[in-house]
């Protein structure tokens, strides 16, 4: 999520009048540097204004402020919206945060009625509200981006339901799979990411507005009204919890970290697959770079950056958890530290998802190189063992030993299992006959994996259709 606010931040020092009469002089110079959050929380301006408008409308409806004051407040907030959107608004560090910056400007615009806006609320519930609104919007944006990535993966999988490649364990050739099947594995991962985000969104959708500082308010406010106006399911049930809760930020950071891990795994495969040693895929020029000294180089820099940026996203959860772990109820200024890591995690994750979707959408597979890699690793050795179990009743451990001895023979001869003479096969076990050659081919191995979720092309085609229905046409679950 990108903040497009093009406004400068003023650095003048002066007593903050919004603190009231308790303070006679301004803060120390170092306090002026450590205390303000406006440099980063100004991106919450939309959420702050929307929350203030809903609060003012409720105050009017409840007879707490006059309709005239409510109208003046609404108009002033609309004017501030326009100023910020156009870049004319001047943010001030002396006013600490987005809330005081907006309220101070509102007082300049409409005078006395501005002072009535804060009736029945506190900056504590105000910042919790702004952060919840922002987090909800961030989740909605990430959902759209992940869906686009899944669409790219499903599109490529559909083109390669029959393209054979080596499946790996321990990064060693294990068994043949299809490229489409491999890509659909990531489609499932990102589906779980979408599910985690949706689940977090449901849980966060309770409004803290009206909890005030920590104990509620004596004014006859209507928290259900403001919750409904802002799209929440209900108001938060406990005022202490409402202002001190940052679970929603932790959940988003945790979900983002898991998603970044999935992206990093896929990025690592793209890095490997694009090397001369693999040559499984080729990334387009749009997502590749060259070398300043080696003209032959073609680097998968976009994938490497996605892999590297996962660390930043994972670090956000740790930072947030450490901030929150020792805080007593209710609010502490420590909680101001929730914003920068969460903002950075969401921005970084969104960028990585978009880059990955772009790489996947226009990458070109190299089926010949994949097929060559499959044949080099004796990936049908398990098929041979399974045939002995199935056709000759040989215990699997014994069949495993027979198959291993034939792999050793093939290595010595420099050929594949399907190229071994029948007399060599029979020497390893007398039950082996001509039928084994129909089993140890790569195609036979892949086509035999017809169990639900298996790699057989007939199953992969079904999985493509099901994935499209679940993740692109359905609700993503």
């Amino acid at each position: 999520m990108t903040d497009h606010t093009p406004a400068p931040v003023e650095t003048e020092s002066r007593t903050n009048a919004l603190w009231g009469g308790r303070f006679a002089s301004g803060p120390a110079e170092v306090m002026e540097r450590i205390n303000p959050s406006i440099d980063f929380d100004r991106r919450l301006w939309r959420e702050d204004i929307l929350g203030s408008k809903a609060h003012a409308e409720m105050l009017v409806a409840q007879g707490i402020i006059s309709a005239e004051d409510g109208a003046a407040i609404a108009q002033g907030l609309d004017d501030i919206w326009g100023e910020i959107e156009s870049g004319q608004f001047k943010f001030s560090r002396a006013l600490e945060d987005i809330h005081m910056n907006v309220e101070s400007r509102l007082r300049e615009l409409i005078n006395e009625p501005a002072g009535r806006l804060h009736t029945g609320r506190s900056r504590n519930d105000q910042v919790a509200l702004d952060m919840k609104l922002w987090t909800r919007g961030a989740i909605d944006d990430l959902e759209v981006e992940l869906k686009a990535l899944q669409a790219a993966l499903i599109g490529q999988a559909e083109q390669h339901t029959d393209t054979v490649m080596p499946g790996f364990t321990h990064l060693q050739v294990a068994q043949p799979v299809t490229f489409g099947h491999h890509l659909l594995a990531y489609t499932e991962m990102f589906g779980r990411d979408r599910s985690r985000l949706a689940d977090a969104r449901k849980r966060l959708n309770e409004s803290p507005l009206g909890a005030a500082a920590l104990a509620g308010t004596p004014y006859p406010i209507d928290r259900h009204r403001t919750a409904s106006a802002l799209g929440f399911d209900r108001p938060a049930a406990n005022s202490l919890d409402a202002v001190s809760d940052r679970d929603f930020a932790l959940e988003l950071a945790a979900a983002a970290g898991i998603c970044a891990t999935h992206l990093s795994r896929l990025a690592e495969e793209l890095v490997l697959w694009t090397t001369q040693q693999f040559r499984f895929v080729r990334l387009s020029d749009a997502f590749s770079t060259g070398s300043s000294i080696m003209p032959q180089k073609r680097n998968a820099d976009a994938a490497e950056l996605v892999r590297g940026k996962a660390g930043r996203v994972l670090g956000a959860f740790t930072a947030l958890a450490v901030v929150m772990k020792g805080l007593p109820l209710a609010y502490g200024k420590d909680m101001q530290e929730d914003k920068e890591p969460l903002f950075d995690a969401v921005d970084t994750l969104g960028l990585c998802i978009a880059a990955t979707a772009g790489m996947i959408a226009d990458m070109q597979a190299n089926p010949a190189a994949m097929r060559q890699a499959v044949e080099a690793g004796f990936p049908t050795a398990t098929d041979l063992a399974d045939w002995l179990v199935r056709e000759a009743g040989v215990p699997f451990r014994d069949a495993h030993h027979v198959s291993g001895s034939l792999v050793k023979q093939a290595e010595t001869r420099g050929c594949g299992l399907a190229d071994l003479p029948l007399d060599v096969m029979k020497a390893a076990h007398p039950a082996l006959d001509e039928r084994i050659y129909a089993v140890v081919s790569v195609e036979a191995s892949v086509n035999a994996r017809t169990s639900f979720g298996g790699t057989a092309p007939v199953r992969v085609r079904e999985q493509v259709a099901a994935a499209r229905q679940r993740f692109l046409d359905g609700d993503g679950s």
Side-chain angles (χ1 to χ4, degrees):
M1 298 181 64
T2 304
D3 177 35
H4 297 290
T5 305
V9 178
E10 294 184 347
T11 58
E12 75 279 5
S13 173
R14 63 177 183 272
T15 302
N16 193 323
L18 296 182
W19 288 352
R22 175 67 178 84
F23 293 84
S25 62
E29 187 273 335
V30 70
M31 186 64 173
E32 290 183 340
R33 288 189 285 129
I34 195 173
N35 190 50
S37 58
I38 189 61
D39 290 335
F40 48 86
D41 72 14
R42 61 177 176 166
R43 72 187 296 169
L44 299 173
W45 67 267
R46 295 176 183 85
E47 291 78 9
D48 197 71
I49 291 174
L50 289 172
S52 290
K53 291 187 73 172
H55 184 67
E57 289 169 4
M58 179 275 296
L59 293 176
V60 171
Q62 294 298 107
I64 299 171
I65 66 173
S66 69
E68 292 75 16
D69 284 347
I73 290 169
Q75 183 58 60
L77 290 171
D78 286 341
D79 292 343
I80 293 170
W81 184 293
E83 289 179 358
I84 297 177
E85 203 165 47
S86 66
Q88 298 175 13
F89 190 92
K90 293 183 178 180
F91 294 92
S92 169
R93 287 195 185 96
L95 295 171
E96 293 188 21
D97 55 31
I98 186 60
H99 324 298
M100 285 189 167
N101 269 265
V102 169
E103 186 174 337
S104 177
R105 178 58 178 154
L106 186 65
R107 181 174 285 274
E108 291 174 354
L109 291 173
I110 67 172
N111 299 316
E112 183 179 308
R116 306 189 193 283
L117 173 59
H118 211 52
T119 307
R121 74 173 183 183
S122 162
R123 275 196 297 177
N124 293 356
D125 60 339
Q126 192 177 0
V127 67
L129 172 69
D130 290 2
M131 282 297 290
K132 276 198 168 185
L133 289 172
W134 184 89
T135 300
R136 193 174 67 187
I139 288 173
D140 292 344
D141 289 346
L142 290 172
E143 155 73 16
V144 172
E145 292 161 356
L146 281 169
K147 186 175 181 179
L149 173 53
Q150 286 181 300
L153 287 163
I154 292 169
Q156 287 281 10
E158 187 170 32
Q159 295 180 46
H160 294 286
T161 56
D162 296 279
T163 300
V164 177
M165 69 174 290
F168 297 91
T169 61
H170 307 277
L171 206 55
Q172 303 293 327
V173 173
Q175 293 177 329
V177 297
T178 64
F179 190 43
H181 190 235
H182 195 112
L183 294 175
L184 287 176
Y186 284 104
T187 307
E188 293 294 325
M189 292 185 199
F190 296 124
R192 292 193 294 274
D193 291 322
R194 288 175 63 187
S195 178
R196 269 183 285 273
L197 290 170
D199 192 45
R201 192 190 193 285
K202 290 177 184 176
R203 201 161 17 254
L204 75 79
N205 211 34
E206 296 182 345
S207 172
L209 187 58
L214 75 163
T217 176
Y219 295 98
I221 63 172
D222 185 348
R223 293 189 62 212
H224 289 83
R225 181 189 180 99
T226 51
S228 177
L230 293 167
F232 289 101
D233 295 330
R234 64 191 70 85
N238 182 283
S239 61
L240 279 167
D241 179 56
V243 298
S244 60
D245 166 40
R246 290 300 183 273
D247 287 3
F248 60 93
L250 285 166
E251 284 198 66
L252 176 53
I258 296 171
C259 182
T261 300
H262 293 156
L263 290 166
S264 183
R265 295 182 72 179
L266 177 53
E268 169 67 5
E269 300 221 78
L270 291 173
V271 171
L272 289 172
W273 291 346
T274 55
T275 63
Q276 289 299 312
Q277 289 72 25
F278 277 79
R279 297 181 296 111
F280 285 3
V281 302
R282 180 183 176 88
L283 298 182
S284 71
D285 290 350
F287 293 97
S288 304
T289 65
S291 166
S292 63
I293 189 172
M294 295 168 283
Q296 83 281 9
K297 290 293 293 299
R298 185 180 179 85
N299 302 323
D301 277 7
E304 292 173 11
L305 287 166
V306 169
R307 185 178 59 186
K309 288 179 182 295
R312 288 174 61 172
V313 181
L314 287 163
F317 175 79
T318 301
L320 283 169
V322 171
V323 166
M324 297 302 299
K325 72 174 183 62
L327 294 186
L329 295 179
Y331 181 83
K333 197 62 179 275
D334 319 48
M335 293 164 71
Q336 181 170 292
E337 294 299 309
D338 63 348
K339 296 170 189 62
E340 287 181 286
L342 189 63
F343 291 164
D344 184 70
V346 171
D347 290 344
T348 301
L349 184 64
L351 182 62
C352 290
I353 294 171
T356 305
M359 286 187 284
I360 294 296
D362 62 1
M363 73 178 179
Q364 296 295 316
N366 184 350
M370 294 183 188
R371 177 56 185 260
Q372 184 180 3
V374 172
E375 293 176 341
F378 308 105
T380 60
T382 305
D383 298 88
L384 191 153
D386 287 339
W387 188 89
L388 284 170
V389 172
R390 190 171 57 248
E391 300 296 329
V394 179
F396 181 79
R397 271 299 148 223
D398 296 339
H400 183 281
H401 180 79
V402 170
S403 183
S405 69
L406 288 170
V407 167
K408 187 174 182 179
Q409 287 274 6
E411 282 182 325
T412 301
R413 293 168 176 259
C415 66
L417 285 173
D419 302 315
L420 286 173
L422 184 58
D423 61 331
V424 174
M425 293 278 199
K426 284 186 173 294
H429 197 284
L432 292 167
D433 57 33
E434 292 85 353
R435 292 174 296 168
I436 195 62
Y437 293 107
V439 173
V440 294
S441 72
V442 169
E443 285 76 17
S445 176
V446 168
N447 287 322
R449 266 50 183 196
T450 56
S451 57
F452 180 81
T455 194
V458 63
R459 291 290 173 259
V460 175
R461 283 188 281 273
E462 292 172 355
Q463 292 164 28
V464 165
R468 179 168 281 113
Q469 183 176 18
R470 287 166 57 204
F471 298 125
L472 306 186
D473 301 330
D475 61 3
S477 60

